[in-house]
Amino acid sequence: MGSCLSREGKSAPKRRPSTRITNNSAPEGGFGSNRWMRMRSSRKEDNQINERALAAILQQQLQNGGGTAPFDRSASLKYPARSSKKNQALPRSSSTRARSLTDPLLQPHQLVNQDIKLDDLESKHFVLVHGGGFGAWCWYKTIALLEEVGYKVTAVDLAGAGIHSIDANNVTSLAQYVKPLVDILEKIDDGEKVILVGHDFGGACISYAMELFPSKVSKAVFVAAAMLTSGQNALDLFSEKADSNDLMQRAQVFLYANGSNQPPTAIDFDKSLSTDLLFNQSPAKDVALASVSMRPIPFSPILEKLSLTDTNHGSVRRYYVETLEDNAIPVAVQESMINNTPPERTFRLKGADHSPFFSKPQALHKVLVEISRIP
């Protein structure tokens, strides 16, 4: 998420050069509600019905108010393993986007070595933090793929996002916005560690959490995310290349809940432009899900500068995942963040737009598993 306003950013002390790894995995499979399964007539039709059911369920959760409960996955159906068909691929996407010849279908078990022992890992618990305007719902494919191979996954709705009940216009600080994530980490037992994954503005949120709970975070993964330095805010960062990102400027809609003579309270996206901005490589079904699920982004947290220390935030191992077809945070901005505060390693997802959990879910899954296994 960027901004058309302009500010000057700051840089952090240099760290060792990052390693870039290019990953070319496959698009997604799908899953949906059990109540539609009786209508099966063909695999393709079943998949389309199930996926529409998932969107309907999530939309119903939003319309019912939701409260602050975590993302409910109980209505989701996982495709069972079928030992009699060893080479059977995941169900095909209903997307009309042409599949690249370098982007083959893979089963989840093909993405990791069969001899992986999760008990030997420092952490097998992923905490997924969405970006501005998104919610826990956006991780549904990532959740399914990680749980398929035995990881524990928690996807959080930040304040004013997803099914969280507060109005985004009433979120006035970063601490308030991030409180649902802080609540999760506070409940983590001493000695247990999680892998934080932040997307978009969620990168600033996991940096905030890393400063508060360094002993509870094994690794931090920034997925097309704001990777800030101390004293910097997201507005500083994204304004760096704002002049060259005309699409972002045109897509943003500022909201003024306190009156037009007062500062903005939230930012929304023009739906006619958001597909090209956020989902230019994503399947149509996921764009439809986003269109009924996205909410405005609180503006005050974007303006808030982070206070990060080497002792806390700097002690957590960081990794960055670049999205090479990203129109919201262009590669030049991602590279600038990486150069200003180099992570331990950098991974590059070819063919991924700003929403790789939709456009390249299996490639993203493979990267997350690989990061979890780094000693």
Side-chain angles (χ1 to χ4, degrees):
M1 96 91 278
S3 178
C4 60
L5 302 179
S6 177
R7 288 177 181 256
E8 183 177 355
K10 299 181 181 180
S11 62
K14 292 288 184 180
R15 300 189 183 185
R16 61 183 178 180
S18 58
T19 303
R20 289 185 173 81
I21 297 176
T22 301
N23 192 295
N24 298 318
S25 271
E28 71 288 347
F31 58 88
S33 170
N34 276 325
R35 66 193 180 93
W36 294 103
M37 296 304 293
R38 65 179 181 273
M39 300 177 65
R40 316 170 63 166
S41 59
S42 70
R43 175 170 302 186
K44 180 176 180 180
E45 292 176 351
D46 288 348
N47 294 342
Q48 293 173 337
I49 291 170
N50 292 333
E51 289 157 352
R52 287 197 298 269
L54 174 63
I57 291 166
L58 291 172
Q59 183 178 9
Q60 184 178 24
Q61 286 181 322
L62 290 171
Q63 293 173 341
N64 290 340
T68 59
F71 180 45
D72 182 6
R73 301 185 298 277
S74 61
S76 301
L77 173 68
K78 295 178 182 177
Y79 286 93
R82 299 178 183 177
S83 57
S84 61
K85 298 183 179 181
K86 295 182 180 180
N87 296 322
Q88 183 178 20
L90 285 174
R92 290 185 176 271
S93 164
S94 59
S95 169
T96 57
R97 179 168 59 89
R99 191 182 305 282
S100 166
L101 294 178
T102 61
D103 191 20
L105 284 170
L106 296 177
Q107 294 184 4
H109 66 77
Q110 291 177 291
L111 297 172
V112 294
N113 290 342
Q114 292 298 300
D115 60 352
I116 182 172
K117 297 180 180 179
L118 294 181
D119 291 339
D120 294 338
L121 302 179
E122 182 180 23
S123 176
K124 57 181 179 180
H125 183 184
F126 282 93
V127 176
L128 309 179
V129 183
H130 62 80
F134 293 86
W137 52 267
C138 73
W139 299 105
Y140 78 95
K141 296 178 183 180
T142 303
I143 292 168
L145 289 168
L146 288 172
E147 289 185 342
E148 180 78 21
V149 290
Y151 289 93
K152 178 180 179 181
V153 185
T154 303
V156 60
D157 279 318
L158 300 176
I163 61 172
H164 194 281
S165 59
I166 195 170
D167 186 338
N169 290 286
N170 296 329
V171 178
T172 58
S173 70
L174 184 59
Q176 182 185 6
Y177 185 60
V178 181
K179 189 177 186 303
L181 173 60
V182 171
D183 290 344
I184 289 172
L185 294 177
E186 283 180 340
K187 295 175 182 177
I188 298 293
D189 294 335
D190 291 337
E192 181 183 351
K193 292 189 175 185
V194 303
I195 300 173
L196 284 181
V197 181
H199 170 247
D200 187 80
F201 186 55
C205 299
I206 66 173
S207 288
Y208 182 95
M210 290 155 63
E211 181 66 25
L212 291 180
F213 303 99
S215 64
K216 293 185 176 183
V217 182
S218 168
K219 296 166 184 172
V221 186
F222 295 78
V223 180
M227 190 165 62
L228 305 178
T229 61
S230 187
Q232 191 177 34
N233 62 28
L235 182 60
D236 291 333
L237 178 68
F238 294 124
S239 295
E240 185 177 331
K241 301 289 183 181
D243 291 342
S244 63
N245 193 354
D246 179 63
L247 179 59
M248 172 64 77
Q249 296 183 45
R250 290 187 291 114
Q252 288 178 339
V253 179
F254 287 86
L255 306 180
Y256 298 84
N258 297 328
S260 59
N261 61 334
Q262 298 296 318
T265 52
I267 304 174
D268 207 351
F269 290 114
D270 182 334
K271 292 188 183 300
S272 67
L273 298 173
S274 61
T275 298
D276 288 339
L277 181 68
L278 305 173
F279 313 111
N280 50 295
Q281 299 294 320
S282 296
K285 66 181 184 299
D286 293 320
V287 178
L289 172 62
S291 71
V292 298
S293 304
M294 292 191 73
R295 295 175 62 181
I297 308 158
F299 190 64
S300 292
I302 298 170
L303 299 177
E304 195 165 325
K305 294 181 182 294
L306 290 182
S307 179
L308 307 174
T309 64
D310 289 338
T311 304
N312 291 350
H313 176 272
S315 68
V316 180
R317 301 167 70 182
R318 291 178 295 111
Y319 303 85
Y320 200 92
V321 181
E322 287 187 85
T323 45
L324 302 187
E325 302 294 331
D326 197 323
N327 289 337
I329 305 182
V331 172
V333 178
Q334 298 181 53
E335 292 281 356
S336 177
M337 290 186 284
I338 291 167
N339 292 333
N340 286 339
T341 174
E344 184 173 317
R345 287 170 70 178
T346 299
F347 298 80
R348 312 184 82 194
L349 297 185
K350 288 185 176 180
D353 57 22
H354 188 59
S355 306
F357 34 76
F358 291 157
S359 58
K360 286 289 179 178
Q362 297 206 47
L364 176 60
H365 168 75
K366 182 176 181 180
V367 166
L368 294 179
V369 171
E370 183 173 348
I371 291 172
S372 76
R373 300 176 62 194
I374 296 174

